[in-house]
Amino acid sequence: MTSRLLGHVSLGRAVLSLSLCGAAGGGLVAGLVMPFVGGAGLAAKRAASAFIELPAPLREEPLPEMTRLLDRDGRQIAQFYYQNRQSVPLSMVAPVMRQAIVAIEDSRFYEHGGLDLKGTLRALVTNTQAGGIRQGGSSISQQLVKNIMLNQAETEQERAQALVRTFRRKLDELRYALALERKYTKDQILERYLNIAYFGAGAFGVQAAARRFFGVDAADLTLTQAATLAGAVRTPYDTDPSLGDDHRDRLRARRDLVLSRMAELGLVARDRARDAAATPLALHLRPEPGGCAGSAYPFFCVYVEREVLTNPAFGYTRADRERRLQRGGLTIWTTIDPAAQRAADRAVTARVSPRDNQVASETMIEPGTGRIRAMAVSKRYGRNPHDRDLGRNTTYNLAADVAHGGGLGLQAGSTFKVFTLATALKQGMRFGDGFTIPGSYVPSYGYRDCSGRAVNDPHTVIHNAGGEGGGGPYSLEMGTWQSVNIFYMRLEREVGLCDVVTTARSLGIRRADGTPLREVPTFTLGANEMDPTTVAAAYAALAARGLYCRPMAIAAVVEHDGTRTEVPPACVTALEPAVADAVSHVLTGVFSKGTMRGQSIGRPAAGKTGTNNGYTSAWFAGYTPGLAAAVSVGDIRGSYRYPLTGVTIGGRYYGAVQGASLPGPIWVDSMRAALRGTPAYDFTPPDMSRFGGGFTPGLKEALEKQRKKQKEKKKREAEHRRHDDDAASQAGGTASGGAGSRATPAPVNGGHPLAAGPGRLPFAAGGGRIPLAAGGGRAVPAVTTMRFPTAGHDFSHTFARVFGPDVARTFARVLGHNPPVASAARTPGRTPGRTGSRGAPAATGRTSGSAEARTGARRDGRARGRTGGRTSRAHAASPRSARRSRH
């Protein structure tokens, strides 16, 4: 139907006709005209002139549009809006929807020029007879004007004024409607109306309403669906289907009225309209949550939201940035990789439960770009019931810093030793270089911060972690692999504290709480509180051969008009590539010879464990050439008040949580899954002409001595194993009832080859002889004995190997022994198989710290914790108050 423009209508005749119909048509129509033609001497010509001098069309502000967040593959992960709206062109609205809205709101829309005299009079008569509103008296153009005025109102007072129904405001709407008819075609007016109208249930515009009510696009609406939406426009609050059955009944009545009107106008057959009215509403109310609570990746969503609200690129003021996020209709392409995010989520939640007070967090970053590929937290995002501080949920993004919605961070432990290592290599140190360290160390001289101020701490005593011996020669690699505290304290003094701090800063190291870094002697031991995103970005720079890139979560921004702006990585060369290659070369040994020995992702990797003094937190940070990640674990109630000792996490008991016992396995599992199906690349080999050929006095001799001790120890262990096997064979032969028989004792008490009735082991004193009694009908001799060696025997490496640690521990107590028999998860500081010799590689899963390693430092302040989802921090106002770290 061809649109009729305003110029085709005689305004003078229209006003004159309106005035003549005033008496017969009622006070409403007369009232519209009276301000202009009510005077006795006022001619129709003057009234027409007043309407011809139309105002400029209303200034149309851009409609508040929904901002959508997409993952790297283009799938929506979150949305932000002030009004749930997504404007669409008229061509993307089903024709039946256009017919329905015109039929019920303005059936002569395509025939009048903005003022429908016949429609107004007909609506007046129909509504008067019906005793309620059955037809609209305002044209669609007038309703569009009203919605524009309402949309421009930003305060409650302005909105109230826009809704006031006075003669003057009605005339203003009419005059502006006539101006719109002059400016736009009919289809353009209808398109604007369909996109601005409120349909109820929080849906603005026909596209959002179609999705909200029926889960379909506006282009796919059926007759009954279109009639339902058209009926909701007139009274969207009274017919809001989300408010209950009464509202749904009213909505259905409105739908049936629309169908009847469409049949009356011949837009649909009467039989079809009757059949449609006989069907139920068939609503499929689809929630459209705004913000991060409804996102599949809520913690990453929080990071993106905070990035927009704090980045001047999105507006000069925070208010401008909030407006743009909630009203701008942006499409933000993020960097999140669904496969990597899934891998991180599964690895974290597999070992740490949302119910636990301990929290695990992980961030994955792509080297060379800084793009965040995953961000996972073991807690669920949201508020706890009754707004409790503790529970399954948290609203803090514990994988990020305070600026991005995170907590105050956790001390990073020995993950900071890499900055001292990089500084030493940068200053000319070679592989194999090292020195002899004492059994304890006092940082009483040689430490100055970057302002030149001496920050020595003569009252602090640093000890090596348990199992590392009382001192001796260490090379650069061995000191790193075993994470030797005293070695790194001495190394930091040699290369200069300020130089180490400068290296860390160049790699993006900033405290999680935004305050300046604590430049103290224990800086290299991780005295500063950090977040996984910052640490992962620093390690990603090592993977990228020294190219540091600021963590980025936004890859591109598409404006509402389709303009696309790419966001390039913000990178800078922080380390010389050769130095970064040398660091990676050393850190690969952490997996093959150090604290992560025995844990692998099946491809070249480098990394560093970190466990803080007192087990207040635990870390692992590592990387491949294609992906870097950092994992932290700490107690959400306050890491210093609640250390990670004697805790059950994810249903598993830990005597003490170390970097290699919980964060390390999380990192391994997540990286293995995230990199599945991607090519495996090796690191660039180091320049051996520059970094090879170092020398540590006395190291060769110490290693030779250690090898001899290990050889002798293995020999003794082999003899003990043979002795134990013979004893077990004798017991088995007796059980069989015949000579030479070698029956295996049936396992009891958790699978141990001893039987003593239901859950108990009888013991007999004297001479180290232990009787074994049969019980429960098992094929074990009624009374037999075995000789238990009581001298010159390493209990944990023989008896525990045969019978298991629990049985061995029980026997040891009875016989007066107290050997360190326990699994790595139960007893900190010792793992079966570790030599305990100075300079020896750590055993599988072993970290170099132990509960026995105490710094003896006098601390100035008491640790304090935060609740409500925040991690804790200590009063580290002076060097002596800084917490020491381990591996």
Side-chain angles (χ1 to χ4, degrees), residues 147-311:
N147 277 281
I148 291 174
M149 290 179 172
L150 187 61
N151 184 64
Q152 291 176 348
E154 295 191 0
T155 66
E156 289 298 330
Q157 182 178 3
E158 291 174 345
R159 279 189 283 271
Q161 290 177 350
L163 294 172
V164 171
R165 300 289 85 194
T166 64
F167 289 135
R168 180 64 189 177
R169 184 164 294 278
K170 198 69 177 177
L171 282 173
D172 286 342
E173 285 181 6
L174 176 58
R175 295 173 71 234
Y176 280 122
L178 297 176
L180 284 178
E181 293 271 355
R182 174 182 293 175
K183 181 179 180 180
Y184 298 120
T185 66
K186 288 290 187 178
D187 283 348
Q188 289 173 331
I189 291 173
L190 181 59
E191 176 182 303
R192 281 166 169 75
Y193 176 70
L194 286 171
N195 281 316
I196 200 172
Y198 180 58
F199 288 80
F204 291 82
V206 66
Q207 171 66 12
R211 300 295 300 171
R212 179 75 170 95
F213 281 57
F214 303 108
V216 301
D217 291 323
D220 301 322
L221 289 167
T222 64
L223 170 63
T224 54
Q225 292 171 344
T228 302
L229 295 184
V233 169
R234 175 61 56 180
T235 56
Y237 298 99
D238 290 339
T239 57
D240 186 339
S242 67
L243 299 181
D245 292 339
D246 291 343
H247 291 74
R248 296 191 182 199
D249 291 341
R250 286 193 286 269
L251 179 61
R252 180 167 182 171
R254 286 289 299 171
R255 180 203 67 176
D256 295 347
L257 178 62
V258 173
L259 291 170
S260 175
R261 181 63 176 158
M262 292 179 73
E264 180 182 334
L265 295 173
L267 298 176
V268 296
R270 292 189 179 275
D271 290 344
R272 186 184 176 196
R274 190 164 44 249
D275 292 342
T279 64
L281 285 175
L283 295 170
H284 182 62
L285 287 177
R286 171 176 167 169
E288 294 286 348
C292 295
S295 173
Y297 313 133
F299 296 103
F300 177 76
C301 174
V302 170
Y303 193 97
V304 176
E305 180 184 18
R306 293 302 182 93
E307 186 69 18
V308 172
L309 296 180
T310 59
N311 193 333

Side-chain angles (χ1 to χ4, degrees), residues 351 353 356 648-653:
R351 285 182 167 82
S353 169
D356 296 333
T648 298
I649 303 175
R652 179 183 177 186
Y653 177 81

Side-chain angles (χ1 to χ4, degrees), residues 378-574:
S378 59
K379 293 286 185 182
R380 298 170 183 168
Y381 182 80
R383 296 187 178 277
N384 290 304
H386 310 294
D387 279 342
R388 292 196 301 265
D389 289 333
L390 299 177
R392 296 170 179 260
N393 304 327
T394 181
T395 56
Y396 288 90
N397 180 16
L398 300 178
D401 58 10
V402 170
H404 291 91
L408 299 180
L410 295 168
Q411 285 189 327
S414 291
T415 59
F416 263 45
K417 288 175 181 174
V418 297
F419 308 128
T420 307
L421 172 63
T423 304
L425 292 168
K426 182 167 55 176
Q427 293 183 3
M429 200 167 181
R430 294 172 174 266
F431 302 143
D433 280 345
F435 40 78
T436 298
I437 62 170
S440 62
Y441 178 75
V442 178
S444 57
Y445 70 95
Y447 296 91
R448 290 186 177 274
D449 63 17
C450 290
S451 67
R453 181 172 59 93
V455 290
N456 305 303
D457 190 357
H459 302 288
T460 296
V461 180
I462 305 296
H463 294 278
N464 282 338
E468 294 171 357
Y474 283 89
S475 66
L476 192 63
E477 300 97 297
M478 292 176 60
T480 303
W481 298 338
Q482 297 183 45
S483 197
V484 183
N485 287 343
I486 294 177
F487 178 84
Y488 263 93
M489 289 291 293
R490 280 280 306 275
L491 183 61
E492 181 188 55
R493 188 187 71 186
E494 295 298 323
V495 300
L497 169 60
C498 180
D499 289 338
V500 174
V501 173
T502 300
T503 297
R505 284 195 177 120
S506 70
L507 292 168
I509 292 299
R510 307 288 185 273
R511 285 178 57 86
D513 59 7
T515 61
L517 288 171
R518 308 289 194 262
E519 299 178 25
V520 295
T522 51
F523 182 89
T524 190
L525 304 185
N528 284 276
E529 285 82 5
M530 305 300 299
D531 62 276
T533 301
T534 300
V535 175
Y539 275 66
L542 300 173
R545 306 189 67 204
L547 184 68
Y548 170 76
C549 300
R550 179 182 178 272
M552 61 180 296
I554 299 174
V557 177
V558 181
E559 303 289 344
H560 180 57
D561 62 4
T563 303
R564 183 184 180 97
T565 302
E566 299 290 338
V567 180
C571 303
V572 63
T573 300

Side-chain angles (χ1 to χ4, degrees), residues 68-82:
R68 300 187 304 140
L69 269 57
L70 311 180
D71 65 21
R72 65 178 299 185
D73 298 325
R75 290 186 287 267
Q76 182 170 318
I77 62 173
Q79 57 195 12
F80 295 89
Y81 55 80
Y82 169 73

